[in-house]
């Protein structure tokens, strides 16, 4: 799919950021009624709650040829 999770500097988030995003952030995104995931539909940068909590972005990476 050529996507990557990065922090504000464009680097992978590291262990702390990844754990924050994947454990706490995704738990909060599921409460209530998956509202944290659905907020992507109205957010100008298409970021879900778990991305906002961990200060991460999902970006599309192009393959080098």
């Amino acid at each position: 799919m050529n996507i990557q999770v990065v922090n504000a500097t464009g680097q992978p988030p590291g262990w702390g950021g990844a754990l924050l995003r994947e454990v706490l952030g995704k738990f909060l995104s599921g409460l209530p009624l998956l509202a944290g995931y659905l907020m992507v539909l109205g957010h100008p940068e298409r970021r879900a709650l778990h991305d906002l909590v961990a200060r991460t972005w999902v970006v599309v990476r192009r393959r080098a040829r």
Side-chain angles (χ1 to χ4, degrees), residues 6-11 57:
V6 297
N7 60 19
T9 63
Q11 300 299 315
W57 287 260

Side-chain angles (χ1 to χ4, degrees), residues 3-7 11-30 36-37 40 46-59:
I3 59 174
Q4 183 178 11
V5 176
V6 297
N7 60 19
Q11 300 299 315
W15 286 101
L19 283 174
L20 183 63
R21 181 180 190 268
E22 296 298 322
V23 177
L24 179 62
K26 288 199 175 179
F27 173 76
L28 294 174
S29 287
Y37 292 106
V40 167
R46 299 287 191 216
R47 293 172 69 198
L49 182 60
H50 52 274
D51 289 315
L52 296 172
V53 167
R55 289 178 269 176
T56 57
W57 287 260
V58 176
V59 295

